[in-house]
């Protein structure tokens, strides 16, 4: 698969410990909302056994003019280099990859359950569905420790507030440790929380992504609640 040459336009902290990287979109690059790509540093000042690249979800929607990736910053050579980059830094992009994408039926009701950096492909899918004026009903359950840790929370809150087809249910597991006053849901996503916001758990198509433990717990909970496994789409984010 051919690679695309990119130069960093800008970067932005979108939550505590989470960095977004923005690039011009190559004219011949196309992808589906929810897909990922391999982003490779060109001649970085340091490297490690994991190499100079990572598979990252495309957090931008295909309808947006820029490409955007977001990642948690950890103590690895790759992440240290990302943190220190300035505009003009060079990358190679390979992809896209993956089938964690919107269903073909534009009327199918969707429920997204995600946590932490798992929001990246979900942001892409939600905003793309809105850009295409799809009439599907979408509900996003988005779990974080504190509001400060929740990437794109304000943006997605505003987007869903002006759409009659989108509902955002954000929940914080450590809201008491936040400097912000939190008035939304608290605790982990569970069956009781789903029942407060959904009229029929068995009807939607579910997208579950984020840390492996969250994905496994949500899958078990939904199957136990009577949701058919064929209605579950999953993607795990490990080692980010």
């Amino acid at each position: 698969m051919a690679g695309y040459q990119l130069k960093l336009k800008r970067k932005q902290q979108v939550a505590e410990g989470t960095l977004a990287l923005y690039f011009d979109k190559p004219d011949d690059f196309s992808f589906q909302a929810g897909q990922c790509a391999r982003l490779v540093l060109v001649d970085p000042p340091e490297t490690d056994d994991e190499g100079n690249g990572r598979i990252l979800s495309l957090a931008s929607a295909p309808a947006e003019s820029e490409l955007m990736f977001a990642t948690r910053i950890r103590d690895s050579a790759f992440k240290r280099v990302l943190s220190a980059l300035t505009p003009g830094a060079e990358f190679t992009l390979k992809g896209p990859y993956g089938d964690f994408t919107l269903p073909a039926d534009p009327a199918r009701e969707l429920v997204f359950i995600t946590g932490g950096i798992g929001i990246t492909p979900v942001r892409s899918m939600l905003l793309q569905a809105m850009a295409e004026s799809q009439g599907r009903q979408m509900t996003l359950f988005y779990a974080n420790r504190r509001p400060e840790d929740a990437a794109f929370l304000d943006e997605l809150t505003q987007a869903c507030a002006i759409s009659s087809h989108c509902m955002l249910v954000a929940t914080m597991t450590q809201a008491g440790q936040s400097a912000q006053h939190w008035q939304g849901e608290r605790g982990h996503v569970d069956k009781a929380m789903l029942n407060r916001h959904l009229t029929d758990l068995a009807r939607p198509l579910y997208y579950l992504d984020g840390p492996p433990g969250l994905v496994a717990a949500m899958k078990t909970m939904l199957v136990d609640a009577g949701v058919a496994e064929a209605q579950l789409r999953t993607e795990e984010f490990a080692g980010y």
Side-chain angles (χ1 to χ4, degrees):
M1 179 177 292
Y4 300 84
Q5 303 309 307
L6 302 179
K7 288 188 177 182
L8 180 67
K9 288 183 67 176
R10 68 184 189 280
K11 62 184 183 181
Q12 177 185 4
Q13 182 174 309
V14 291
E16 285 190 13
T18 302
L19 187 67
L21 307 172
Y22 297 83
F23 305 88
D24 284 325
K25 186 190 302 182
D27 292 338
D28 56 346
F29 179 77
S30 63
F31 67 100
Q32 296 181 61
Q35 287 190 304
C36 58
R38 183 170 178 82
L39 197 62
V40 183
L41 291 159
V42 175
D43 296 327
E46 65 169 317
T47 188
D48 57 25
D49 292 341
E50 296 182 58
N52 298 336
R54 296 292 188 277
I55 297 288
L56 299 173
S57 292
L58 286 145
S60 50
E64 294 182 291
S65 61
E66 297 177 310
L67 294 181
M68 186 262 285
F69 299 86
T71 184
R72 294 286 199 206
I73 296 302
R74 299 287 189 253
D75 189 23
S76 68
F78 183 82
K79 300 297 180 69
R80 285 194 296 269
V81 172
L82 290 187
S83 297
L85 288 180
T86 56
E90 296 182 347
F91 290 80
T92 297
L93 175 71
K94 294 186 178 181
Y97 310 107
D99 56 6
F100 192 69
T101 56
L102 292 166
D105 181 358
R108 187 68 190 273
E109 180 182 353
L110 306 181
V111 173
F112 300 93
I113 305 178
T114 189
I117 201 62
I119 194 62
T120 48
V122 175
R123 177 193 183 275
S124 179
M125 286 188 276
L126 276 176
L127 295 187
Q128 186 66 21
M130 291 179 188
E132 294 175 356
S133 299
Q134 296 179 353
R136 67 171 85 246
Q137 185 62 38
M138 300 180 293
T139 305
L140 167 58
F141 292 87
Y142 183 22
N144 286 275
R145 293 185 300 272
R146 307 168 303 147
E148 293 92 332
D149 303 313
F152 311 117
L153 178 59
D154 290 342
E155 177 189 27
L156 293 174
T157 298
Q158 294 171 13
C160 288
I162 61 175
S163 171
S164 60
H165 301 293
C166 178
M167 178 172 62
L168 171 62
V169 181
T171 184
M172 303 299 155
T173 60
Q174 299 177 14
Q177 299 180 22
S178 172
Q180 302 179 28
H181 179 59
W182 180 248
Q183 295 182 305
E185 290 275 9
R186 294 173 180 246
H188 297 282
V189 178
D190 57 15
K191 183 179 177 181
M193 187 181 296
L194 296 183
N195 280 324
R196 285 197 293 273
H197 299 282
L198 302 175
T199 57
D200 181 0
L201 297 190
R203 185 175 61 202
L205 181 65
Y206 290 84
Y207 285 76
L208 317 175
D209 80 320
L214 180 146
V215 172
M218 294 302 100
K219 184 175 181 179
T220 298
M221 176 190 69
L222 289 168
V223 171
D224 288 347
V227 178
E229 287 199 43
Q231 292 173 224
L232 306 180
R233 306 285 186 269
T234 64
E235 186 160 286
E236 296 181 354
F237 286 62
Y240 53 79

